[in-house]
PDB file of all heavy atoms in Angstrom:
ATOM      1  N   LEU A  49      10.100  12.973  97.978  1.00  0.00           N
ATOM      2  CA  LEU A  49       8.904  13.777  97.723  1.00  0.00           C
ATOM      3  C   LEU A  49       7.708  13.046  98.317  1.00  0.00           C
ATOM      4  O   LEU A  49       7.654  11.820  98.288  1.00  0.00           O
ATOM      5  CB  LEU A  49       8.655  13.932  96.215  1.00  0.00           C
ATOM      6  CG  LEU A  49       9.773  14.544  95.387  1.00  0.00           C
ATOM      7  CD1 LEU A  49      10.596  13.462  94.734  1.00  0.00           C
ATOM      8  CD2 LEU A  49       9.187  15.460  94.369  1.00  0.00           C
ATOM      9  N   ILE A  50       6.757  13.792  98.829  1.00  0.00           N
ATOM     10  CA  ILE A  50       5.507  13.224  99.312  1.00  0.00           C
ATOM     11  C   ILE A  50       4.470  13.482  98.227  1.00  0.00           C
ATOM     12  O   ILE A  50       4.223  14.636  97.869  1.00  0.00           O
ATOM     13  CB  ILE A  50       5.064  13.869 100.640  1.00  0.00           C
ATOM     14  CG1 ILE A  50       6.188  13.815 101.682  1.00  0.00           C
ATOM     15  CG2 ILE A  50       3.776  13.223 101.127  1.00  0.00           C
ATOM     16  CD1 ILE A  50       6.691  12.442 102.021  1.00  0.00           C
ATOM     17  N   ILE A  51       3.885  12.403  97.689  1.00  0.00           N
ATOM     18  CA  ILE A  51       2.941  12.548  96.588  1.00  0.00           C
ATOM     19  C   ILE A  51       1.671  11.762  96.864  1.00  0.00           C
ATOM     20  O   ILE A  51       1.649  10.844  97.671  1.00  0.00           O
ATOM     21  CB  ILE A  51       3.562  12.099  95.250  1.00  0.00           C
ATOM     22  CG1 ILE A  51       3.993  10.645  95.311  1.00  0.00           C
ATOM     23  CG2 ILE A  51       4.720  12.990  94.868  1.00  0.00           C
ATOM     24  CD1 ILE A  51       4.459  10.095  93.991  1.00  0.00           C
ATOM     25  N   THR A  52       0.623  12.155  96.176  1.00  0.00           N
ATOM     26  CA  THR A  52      -0.654  11.469  96.254  1.00  0.00           C
ATOM     27  C   THR A  52      -0.744  10.485  95.100  1.00  0.00           C
ATOM     28  O   THR A  52      -0.357  10.796  93.986  1.00  0.00           O
ATOM     29  CB  THR A  52      -1.809  12.485  96.156  1.00  0.00           C
ATOM     30  OG1 THR A  52      -1.673  13.415  97.228  1.00  0.00           O
ATOM     31  CG2 THR A  52      -3.158  11.806  96.245  1.00  0.00           C
ATOM     32  N   VAL A  53      -1.240   9.277  95.368  1.00  0.00           N
ATOM     33  CA  VAL A  53      -1.460   8.303  94.300  1.00  0.00           C
ATOM     34  C   VAL A  53      -2.954   8.180  94.066  1.00  0.00           C
ATOM     35  O   VAL A  53      -3.733   8.392  94.985  1.00  0.00           O
ATOM     36  CB  VAL A  53      -0.890   6.903  94.662  1.00  0.00           C
ATOM     37  CG1 VAL A  53       0.589   6.877  94.542  1.00  0.00           C
ATOM     38  CG2 VAL A  53      -1.324   6.446  96.021  1.00  0.00           C
ATOM     39  N   PRO A  54      -3.439   7.895  92.886  1.00  0.00           N
ATOM     40  CA  PRO A  54      -2.653   7.584  91.700  1.00  0.00           C
ATOM     41  C   PRO A  54      -2.378   8.776  90.814  1.00  0.00           C
ATOM     42  O   PRO A  54      -1.852   8.613  89.721  1.00  0.00           O
ATOM     43  CB  PRO A  54      -3.544   6.577  90.979  1.00  0.00           C
ATOM     44  CG  PRO A  54      -4.925   7.050  91.306  1.00  0.00           C
ATOM     45  CD  PRO A  54      -4.832   7.595  92.716  1.00  0.00           C
ATOM     46  N   GLU A  55      -2.710   9.992  91.233  1.00  0.00           N
ATOM     47  CA  GLU A  55      -2.551  11.152  90.359  1.00  0.00           C
ATOM     48  C   GLU A  55      -1.160  11.275  89.763  1.00  0.00           C
ATOM     49  O   GLU A  55      -1.012  11.694  88.633  1.00  0.00           O
ATOM     50  CB  GLU A  55      -2.879  12.454  91.110  1.00  0.00           C
ATOM     51  CG  GLU A  55      -4.336  12.624  91.404  1.00  0.00           C
ATOM     52  CD  GLU A  55      -4.782  11.917  92.667  1.00  0.00           C
ATOM     53  OE1 GLU A  55      -3.960  11.274  93.338  1.00  0.00           O
ATOM     54  OE2 GLU A  55      -5.980  11.994  92.976  1.00  0.00           O
ATOM     55  N   ARG A  56      -0.121  10.930  90.483  1.00  0.00           N
ATOM     56  CA  ARG A  56       1.232  11.082  89.977  1.00  0.00           C
ATOM     57  C   ARG A  56       1.859   9.748  89.571  1.00  0.00           C
ATOM     58  O   ARG A  56       3.037   9.681  89.308  1.00  0.00           O
ATOM     59  CB  ARG A  56       2.111  11.755  91.018  1.00  0.00           C
ATOM     60  CG  ARG A  56       1.561  13.092  91.390  1.00  0.00           C
ATOM     61  CD  ARG A  56       2.660  13.991  91.876  1.00  0.00           C
ATOM     62  NE  ARG A  56       2.120  15.142  92.531  1.00  0.00           N
ATOM     63  CZ  ARG A  56       1.380  16.063  91.963  1.00  0.00           C
ATOM     64  NH1 ARG A  56       1.065  15.986  90.703  1.00  0.00           N
ATOM     65  NH2 ARG A  56       0.908  17.079  92.633  1.00  0.00           N
ATOM     66  N   ALA A  57       1.065   8.689  89.560  1.00  0.00           N
ATOM     67  CA  ALA A  57       1.626   7.382  89.239  1.00  0.00           C
ATOM     68  C   ALA A  57       1.651   7.142  87.741  1.00  0.00           C
ATOM     69  O   ALA A  57       0.778   7.600  87.024  1.00  0.00           O
ATOM     70  CB  ALA A  57       0.818   6.291  89.933  1.00  0.00           C
ATOM     71  N   SER A  58       2.661   6.415  87.290  1.00  0.00           N
ATOM     72  CA  SER A  58       2.769   6.107  85.867  1.00  0.00           C
ATOM     73  C   SER A  58       2.029   4.826  85.509  1.00  0.00           C
ATOM     74  O   SER A  58       1.963   4.454  84.366  1.00  0.00           O
ATOM     75  CB  SER A  58       4.239   5.985  85.466  1.00  0.00           C
ATOM     76  OG  SER A  58       4.850   4.947  86.199  1.00  0.00           O
ATOM     77  N   ARG A  59       1.496   4.131  86.499  1.00  0.00           N
ATOM     78  CA  ARG A  59       0.706   2.924  86.269  1.00  0.00           C
ATOM     79  C   ARG A  59      -0.364   2.855  87.345  1.00  0.00           C
ATOM     80  O   ARG A  59      -0.365   3.659  88.271  1.00  0.00           O
ATOM     81  CB  ARG A  59       1.589   1.681  86.289  1.00  0.00           C
ATOM     82  CG  ARG A  59       2.287   1.471  87.625  1.00  0.00           C
ATOM     83  CD  ARG A  59       3.190   0.238  87.551  1.00  0.00           C
ATOM     84  NE  ARG A  59       3.950   0.085  88.770  1.00  0.00           N
ATOM     85  CZ  ARG A  59       3.592  -0.672  89.788  1.00  0.00           C
ATOM     86  NH1 ARG A  59       2.470  -1.344  89.762  1.00  0.00           N
ATOM     87  NH2 ARG A  59       4.360  -0.760  90.851  1.00  0.00           N
ATOM     88  N   ALA A  60      -1.267   1.879  87.243  1.00  0.00           N
ATOM     89  CA  ALA A  60      -2.340   1.752  88.232  1.00  0.00           C
ATOM     90  C   ALA A  60      -1.748   1.413  89.595  1.00  0.00           C
ATOM     91  O   ALA A  60      -1.098   0.391  89.771  1.00  0.00           O
ATOM     92  CB  ALA A  60      -3.327   0.689  87.796  1.00  0.00           C
ATOM     93  N   VAL A  61      -1.941   2.290  90.556  1.00  0.00           N
ATOM     94  CA  VAL A  61      -1.418   2.120  91.898  1.00  0.00           C
ATOM     95  C   VAL A  61      -2.543   2.419  92.868  1.00  0.00           C
ATOM     96  O   VAL A  61      -3.315   3.347  92.655  1.00  0.00           O
ATOM     97  CB  VAL A  61      -0.237   3.099  92.155  1.00  0.00           C
ATOM     98  CG1 VAL A  61       0.244   3.013  93.583  1.00  0.00           C
ATOM     99  CG2 VAL A  61       0.900   2.828  91.195  1.00  0.00           C
ATOM    100  N   THR A  62      -2.614   1.642  93.921  1.00  0.00           N
ATOM    101  CA  THR A  62      -3.589   1.916  94.965  1.00  0.00           C
ATOM    102  C   THR A  62      -2.853   2.175  96.269  1.00  0.00           C
ATOM    103  O   THR A  62      -1.643   1.967  96.358  1.00  0.00           O
ATOM    104  CB  THR A  62      -4.555   0.729  95.153  1.00  0.00           C
ATOM    105  OG1 THR A  62      -3.799  -0.379  95.663  1.00  0.00           O
ATOM    106  CG2 THR A  62      -5.229   0.350  93.846  1.00  0.00           C
ATOM    107  N   ALA A  63      -3.597   2.583  97.282  1.00  0.00           N
ATOM    108  CA  ALA A  63      -2.982   2.866  98.581  1.00  0.00           C
ATOM    109  C   ALA A  63      -2.369   1.611  99.196  1.00  0.00           C
ATOM    110  O   ALA A  63      -1.491   1.704 100.041  1.00  0.00           O
ATOM    111  CB  ALA A  63      -4.021   3.461  99.526  1.00  0.00           C
ATOM    112  N   SER A  64      -2.804   0.429  98.763  1.00  0.00           N
ATOM    113  CA  SER A  64      -2.282  -0.806  99.354  1.00  0.00           C
ATOM    114  C   SER A  64      -1.174  -1.464  98.523  1.00  0.00           C
ATOM    115  O   SER A  64      -0.698  -2.539  98.873  1.00  0.00           O
ATOM    116  CB  SER A  64      -3.431  -1.799  99.562  1.00  0.00           C
ATOM    117  OG  SER A  64      -4.010  -2.121  98.323  1.00  0.00           O
ATOM    118  N   THR A  65      -0.754  -0.840  97.434  1.00  0.00           N
ATOM    119  CA  THR A  65       0.319  -1.407  96.606  1.00  0.00           C
ATOM    120  C   THR A  65       1.594  -1.518  97.428  1.00  0.00           C
ATOM    121  O   THR A  65       1.980  -0.581  98.123  1.00  0.00           O
ATOM    122  CB  THR A  65       0.566  -0.527  95.368  1.00  0.00           C
ATOM    123  OG1 THR A  65      -0.642  -0.450  94.623  1.00  0.00           O
ATOM    124  CG2 THR A  65       1.664  -1.091  94.505  1.00  0.00           C
ATOM    125  N   ASP A  66       2.248  -2.681  97.363  1.00  0.00           N
ATOM    126  CA  ASP A  66       3.486  -2.897  98.118  1.00  0.00           C
ATOM    127  C   ASP A  66       4.607  -2.017  97.580  1.00  0.00           C
ATOM    128  O   ASP A  66       4.724  -1.804  96.380  1.00  0.00           O
ATOM    129  CB  ASP A  66       3.920  -4.359  98.026  1.00  0.00           C
ATOM    130  CG  ASP A  66       3.014  -5.288  98.812  1.00  0.00           C
ATOM    131  OD1 ASP A  66       2.397  -4.834  99.794  1.00  0.00           O
ATOM    132  OD2 ASP A  66       2.927  -6.470  98.443  1.00  0.00           O
TER     133      ASP A  66
END
Side-chain angles (χ1 to χ4, degrees):
L49 303 97
I50 307 302
I51 60 173
T52 301
V53 284
E55 289 84 0
R56 302 206 194 296
S58 60
R59 61 182 175 95
V61 175
T62 66
S64 62
T65 301
D66 289 333

